Amino acid sequence: MPDHVTTSRFILQSDARRDHLIHPLPPVWWSRPYEYAWALSFAREDDVLLDAACGISHPFKFALAEVSREVHACDIDPRITSRPQILEDIARDFGLDAAQRQASDWQHRLHLAHANLADLPYDREKFDRVFCISVLEHMTPEDQSAAIGEFYRTLKPGGLLVLTFDYPAVHLENIQQTLQQAGFAFAGETDFRLPPDALYTEMWGGLHCFRAVLHKPSDA
């Protein structure tokens, strides 16, 4: 199986992982250590980034802000714009000490917004990278299509969309079609075979995790 960072494929048990990202990650977040380790490799210092449907306590947005000059993060949960409520959620998920440390380390390069992915409040061609980590499986096919259209609109030509999603909650053939209809192309090789060493959890009826990286054509 191809093993370049831009290869779209199932995440493997042998892939790199990060059990600590800002805070130690809870064991119930079964795929996040792998998703975060892979996705962070696409963040560059001079980029303008979006963490789409970032979650409240989830640390990926903070980690991006440690790397890149400008990071935007949005979520449909209105608590995303409240610093006290974010810290409360961090304390619940990671402990009070983690929230106290985070309170003194609020990233000035991080811009938070309450938003629906189907109607993003950002200008056309604003971002170098859009990240959407384990979100699509929570959306209807219609909302997936609308969100992917918004990712395309807000990405700069040549920009990358970095995705992870649960399988079979997301149908591989359908999501490929939706991405391509929006104008995206895969940024590297693809391998849609489910290997025996694919990352797996028995939670929620049994899930694997797929990663995909796509680009918006430079002449778009």
Side-chain angles (χ1 to χ4, degrees):
M1 177 182 291
D3 198 31
H4 192 271
V5 68
T6 60
T7 299
S8 296
R9 60 166 173 81
F10 283 95
I11 292 176
L12 307 179
Q13 298 173 28
S14 57
D15 283 341
R17 58 181 291 163
R18 293 187 59 158
D19 294 310
H20 187 286
L21 189 72
I22 310 296
H23 316 296
L25 302 181
V28 71
W29 290 12
W30 64 283
S31 59
R32 287 296 196 279
Y34 298 88
E35 294 169 287
Y36 290 160
W38 172 72
L40 277 172
S41 66
F42 293 98
R44 303 177 302 184
E45 182 178 358
D46 293 331
D47 283 344
V48 179
L49 309 178
L50 173 64
D51 183 5
C54 61
I56 306 304
S57 68
H58 294 63
F60 187 64
K61 54 188 172 292
F62 302 115
L64 290 176
E66 291 183 338
V67 175
S68 298
R69 66 182 176 90
E70 184 179 337
V71 177
H72 295 258
C74 66
D75 201 271
I76 200 167
D77 188 329
R79 294 178 299 159
I80 192 60
T81 60
S82 168
R83 174 180 173 134
Q85 289 182 299
I86 292 174
L87 294 176
E88 180 181 334
D89 219 47
I90 292 172
R92 185 200 68 196
D93 288 338
F94 302 104
L96 184 59
D97 289 345
Q100 291 172 337
R101 289 194 303 272
Q102 191 75 56
S104 62
D105 190 33
W106 203 255
Q107 299 293 337
H108 69 281
R109 292 178 290 184
L110 180 61
H111 308 275
L112 302 171
H114 176 217
N116 188 321
L117 296 190
D119 186 21
L120 292 174
Y122 305 110
D123 292 338
R124 184 174 179 268
E125 299 181 0
K126 181 177 180 64
F127 301 113
D128 299 285
R129 304 280 191 270
V130 171
F131 298 87
C132 188
I133 306 299
S134 280
V135 175
L136 295 183
E137 60 266 25
H138 303 292
M139 304 173 72
T140 66
E142 293 76 18
D143 286 342
Q144 290 173 3
S145 179
I148 288 167
E150 282 292 270
F151 298 157
Y152 189 89
R153 180 185 68 81
T154 57
L155 268 172
K156 298 175 182 177
L160 293 182
L161 172 61
V162 180
L163 288 174
T164 64
F165 51 81
D166 291 343
Y167 170 86
V170 173
H171 190 281
L172 285 178
E173 185 175 342
N174 290 349
I175 201 65
Q176 289 176 66
Q177 185 176 29
T178 299
L179 289 161
Q180 291 167 347
Q181 287 176 342
F184 283 108
F186 285 97
E189 297 186 57
T190 58
D191 190 338
F192 300 107
R193 296 171 298 174
L194 180 60
D197 59 340
L199 186 66
Y200 176 76
T201 179
E202 293 183 349
M203 294 186 290
W204 303 290
L207 295 171
H208 299 279
C209 188
F210 195 88
R211 72 184 205 189
V213 55
L214 301 108
H215 73 89
K216 179 177 179 177
S218 298
D219 58 355

